[in-house]
Amino acid sequence: MVENTFKSQEKPLSTAKKFAGQTAVYGISTIASKVLIFFLTPIYTRAYVTAAYGVITTLYSYISIINALLAFGMETTFFRYLNKHPDNKQRVYNNAFASIFVVTILFLLFTIPFAGWIASYVDVNHTKNLATKGLLPHTIIGTTYADFLKYVYICLAIVIVDAWCAIPFAKLRADGRPARYGLIKLASVLIFVSFNLIFIYVVPFWLSHNLVGSAWISQWFTPRWVGYVFVSELLSSIVTLLLLLPQLLQIRFNFDREMLLNMYRYSWPVLIANLSYIVNENMDKILLGKLLPANISLHDVGIYGACSKIAVFLSIFVNAFRLGAEPFFFNHAKNKNATQTYARIMDYFVITVCVIFVGLIANIDWLKYFINRTYWVGLAVVPPLLFGYVSLGIYMNLSIWYKLSDQTKYGLYISGIGAILTIVLNIIFIPKYSYMASAWVSLIAYTVMMILSYIWGQKNYPIPYNLKKNLAYIVSSIIIVYFITRINGNYALTTSGSTATHAPVAFDKGFFIGDGLLLGYILVAFYFERDNLRAIFKL
């Protein structure tokens, strides 16, 4: 069990090394899964036009927000209550799953009757409204009201099944079974990728060669219909639920009403904080579709969504860190040297995210080929999005203070401020600057959240972070990235009326200079951290 993994007499360097190993296991599975999904991006951007890809981006933004809502902050609550009730873990597990199950049933009761209205709301093309006025605009495959109605039902099924998987996955993490966790995640992704490839390549090939069963397949198959992306997602979610049956079968209908109410009290600020974080991540894409003219909205959402995928590598590391960090931090909280360990983990976290930040920008010249050339116009969003992920990762690291001290209301305040900034600034600037506004607003929101968490954390749960050293690494990475982007070329942005137009960005020079600066940055970091690194690898 995870509570027996770390002992109180262990030194900070030893526990930091163990933490790195635990995070690495989650990281390998997370990276493998995310990389597989990332390689769908070039396939999507070549199989679907920008507007159709905009549908994918928009609906996945809604799915992410609803997933956070249905999870109800129970993953964090589950870990916290395992720590508080080590002798009553089964009841904690029962209560955590029951709470999510009840929320999902209520959610279905309040959404299925309004599926038509929801479809009209997420349809940024407004095709239903135009049809009622006698207007029949040319529409791209997969962007009609009828299509959006199908997407609503499919997506409702996806978020329900995903919610039922949340606590069983958390149990695997709490039980110290990262290998099984990773294998199930990987299997789910393989199913998702496989069905995508089947619908995009295999079925059209089958039909074009008139192979056996082609007559039946042609009755229901629509080439280049983006809905198959969501069908593939639903199939992978169902397989994941089946693979988690051993954990699901461990649930007992033995609940503790008082504990359940206390868990709800703890979780709702976490829910708001998580929801605010997801809003920060996804609301920009939703607002782009709502605030831009209908003739360009899905196009710009598609470009923004595709280019933001280049930043996924830093997001992968941040997510892998979160998976390993949360159970580790809770388990290690009672150790006398816990705060020193947290500070040391922060040191190496900052160095790692800064290296990834510089590395991605230094190599964007070849990374851009993972998306179709028609999407390159939006590459200038990558630097601000990446630094936003740097700030987000540091914020996630900092946020442990309010979770350990049962002051989750601060998570609500911080994430709420970030969400308000995201919504207000996007509403103000999207009509003029389109997705460039969204990229910079993301950076601003996450940076403000990071600063607030540090200030309030030092007042309420002091941790001896090496502020000057960490700031030195962050500022130097920003300077290097600025220098690389200046070499590669400037982003030209003009406005025509109230609509932004975008000139292609170069990012095709300075490859060797960029990687030279990256190498220099890494060597300098190794030089200054050499003593600590020797100590870690000798343990």
Side-chain angles (χ1 to χ4, degrees):
M1 300 298 289
V2 72
E3 67 270 11
N4 297 321
T5 305
F6 304 99
K7 298 181 180 179
S8 61
Q9 66 267 27
E10 290 178 310
K11 297 178 181 179
L13 284 173
S14 177
T15 51
K17 183 178 179 181
K18 290 184 177 181
F19 169 72
Q22 187 175 356
T23 301
V25 177
Y26 288 113
I28 290 170
S29 62
T30 302
I31 289 170
S33 300
K34 294 291 184 181
V35 167
L36 283 171
I37 293 176
F38 176 77
F39 278 105
L40 284 176
T41 301
I43 293 173
Y44 287 160
T45 58
R46 287 163 176 79
Y48 305 120
V49 296
T50 53
Y53 189 77
V55 172
I56 299 173
T57 303
T58 300
L59 291 182
Y60 268 111
S61 296
Y62 283 111
I63 288 173
S64 297
I65 292 173
I66 296 170
N67 275 340
L69 177 66
L70 297 183
F72 212 79
M74 272 295 157
E75 284 181 295
T76 299
T77 304
F78 175 67
F79 289 122
R80 178 57 178 158
Y81 272 73
L82 285 180
N83 179 262
K84 292 177 71 172
H85 301 277
D87 299 325
N88 208 359
K89 294 180 179 180
Q90 181 62 47
R91 191 160 294 180
V92 172
Y93 182 49
N94 297 341
N95 286 346
F97 183 84
S99 64
I100 288 183
F101 187 81
V102 170
V103 169
T104 56
I105 298 302
L106 291 174
F107 176 78
L108 281 178
L109 293 176
F110 282 99
T111 52
I112 290 179
F114 304 101
W117 179 86
I118 296 170
S120 296
Y121 180 79
V122 299
D123 176 13
V124 295
N125 277 337
H126 310 296
T127 50
K128 183 180 181 182
N129 292 336
L130 291 174
T132 58
K133 296 176 182 178
L135 301 173
L136 296 174
H138 173 71
T139 55
I140 297 165
I141 294 174
T143 62
T144 66
Y145 169 76
D147 290 314
F148 277 98
L149 185 58
K150 293 175 185 176
Y151 302 155
V152 167
Y153 286 118
I154 296 171
C155 290
L156 286 176
I158 291 170
V159 296
I160 294 299
V161 176
D162 285 350
W164 291 344
C165 293
I167 297 302
F169 267 129
K171 189 176 192 305
L172 288 175
R173 291 164 60 195
D175 289 347
R177 302 178 66 188
R180 178 168 172 77
Y181 176 98
L183 287 173
I184 294 176
K185 286 285 188 181
L186 188 59
S188 174
V189 171
L190 287 173
I191 294 293
F192 175 66
V193 172
S194 298
F195 275 103
N196 269 280
L197 296 178
I198 288 170
F199 288 126
I200 293 174
Y201 295 120
V202 176
V203 176
F205 175 85
W206 198 275
L207 293 176
S208 65
H209 289 77
N210 200 29
L211 299 178
V212 60
S214 294
W216 174 74
I217 295 173
S218 62
Q219 293 177 11
W220 56 264
F221 181 74
T222 303
R224 298 186 181 277
W225 186 59
V226 294
Y228 294 127
V229 174
F230 307 111
V231 172
S232 301
E233 184 72 52
L234 177 58
L235 292 171
S236 74
S237 295
I238 292 171
V239 170
T240 301
L241 188 68
L242 293 175
L243 291 174
L244 287 168
L245 273 178
Q247 283 67 46
L248 289 167
L249 292 174
Q250 293 177 32
I251 297 168
R252 299 291 180 266
F253 294 97
N254 180 19
F255 310 115
D256 185 323
R257 184 174 179 274
E258 183 179 354
M259 180 189 290
L260 184 59
L261 292 175
N262 288 332
M263 291 175 75
Y264 272 124
R265 292 189 191 99
Y266 180 91
S267 68
W268 78 264
V270 178
L271 163 66
I272 301 301
N274 290 346
L275 196 57
S276 299
Y277 155 66
I278 298 297
V279 165
N280 291 335
E281 278 285 280
N282 297 281
M283 187 56 73
D284 52 356
K285 303 171 187 69
I286 293 172
L287 291 174
L288 277 170
K290 293 295 181 181
L291 297 174
L292 292 176
N295 62 319
I296 66 166
S297 57
L298 281 177
H299 173 272
D300 277 22
V301 172
I303 288 175
Y304 183 59
C307 290
S308 65
K309 292 295 184 182
I310 295 176
V312 76
F313 293 105
L314 186 49
S315 175
I316 288 170
F317 175 77
V318 170
N319 190 50
F321 170 84
R322 181 186 66 82
L323 290 174
E326 199 160 59
F328 173 87
F329 284 154
F330 279 122
N331 176 70
H332 199 65
K334 295 179 181 178
N335 291 11
K336 62 181 181 180
N337 53 19
T339 56
Q340 288 84 359
T341 300
Y342 300 157
R344 188 169 297 278
I345 288 172
M346 174 66 87
D347 290 345
Y348 294 106
F349 179 84
V350 168
I351 294 170
T352 305
V353 293
C354 287
V355 167
I356 297 172
F357 177 39
V358 175
L360 289 174
I361 297 300
N363 292 280
I364 201 170
D365 185 50
W366 63 268
L367 287 172
K368 67 184 181 184
Y369 285 97
F370 282 96
I371 59 177
N372 193 294
R373 288 176 177 269
T374 58
Y375 293 81
W376 289 4
V377 67
L379 283 175
V381 304
V382 177
L385 283 176
L386 280 173
F387 188 74
Y389 280 127
V390 171
S391 298
L392 174 63
I394 296 172
Y395 163 71
M396 285 184 170
N397 201 320
L398 291 168
S399 67
I400 194 62
W401 71 265
Y402 64 74
K403 295 177 182 177
L404 290 175
S405 59
D406 289 339
Q407 300 183 73
T408 52
K409 62 181 180 181
Y410 282 99
L412 186 157
Y413 300 153
I414 295 168
S415 296
I417 290 170
I420 291 170
L421 282 173
T422 296
I423 294 169
V424 172
L425 293 180
N426 271 299
I427 289 173
I428 293 172
F429 292 109
I430 279 177
K432 186 174 183 180
Y433 297 108
S434 187
Y435 47 72
M436 283 307 301
S438 297
W440 283 99
V441 168
S442 176
L443 184 155
I444 292 168
Y446 288 139
T447 302
V448 169
M449 290 167 61
M450 173 184 67
I451 294 170
L452 288 176
S453 186
Y454 176 79
I455 293 172
W456 284 340
Q458 293 305 101
K459 290 181 179 179
N460 293 279
Y461 192 93
I463 295 174
Y465 294 119
N466 297 307
L467 182 60
K468 291 182 179 179
K469 183 175 78 170
N470 290 334
L471 280 176
Y473 282 117
I474 294 170
V475 172
S476 59
S477 71
I478 294 172
I479 293 172
I480 292 172
V481 164
Y482 176 77
F483 185 69
I484 294 172
T485 55
R486 294 293 293 181
I487 292 173
N488 281 335
N490 293 318
Y491 180 77
L493 176 66
T494 61
T495 57
S496 176
S498 61
T499 304
T501 58
H502 314 278
V505 65
F507 277 125
D508 57 359
K509 297 184 293 183
F511 174 78
F512 294 105
I513 295 175
D515 277 326
L517 290 170
L518 170 63
L519 180 61
Y521 186 84
I522 294 172
L523 291 175
V524 168
F526 267 109
Y527 176 78
F528 284 109
E529 304 298 327
R530 62 190 184 281
D531 293 336
N532 287 331
L533 289 172
R534 286 196 199 102
I536 288 176
F537 288 112
K538 284 180 181 178
L539 292 173

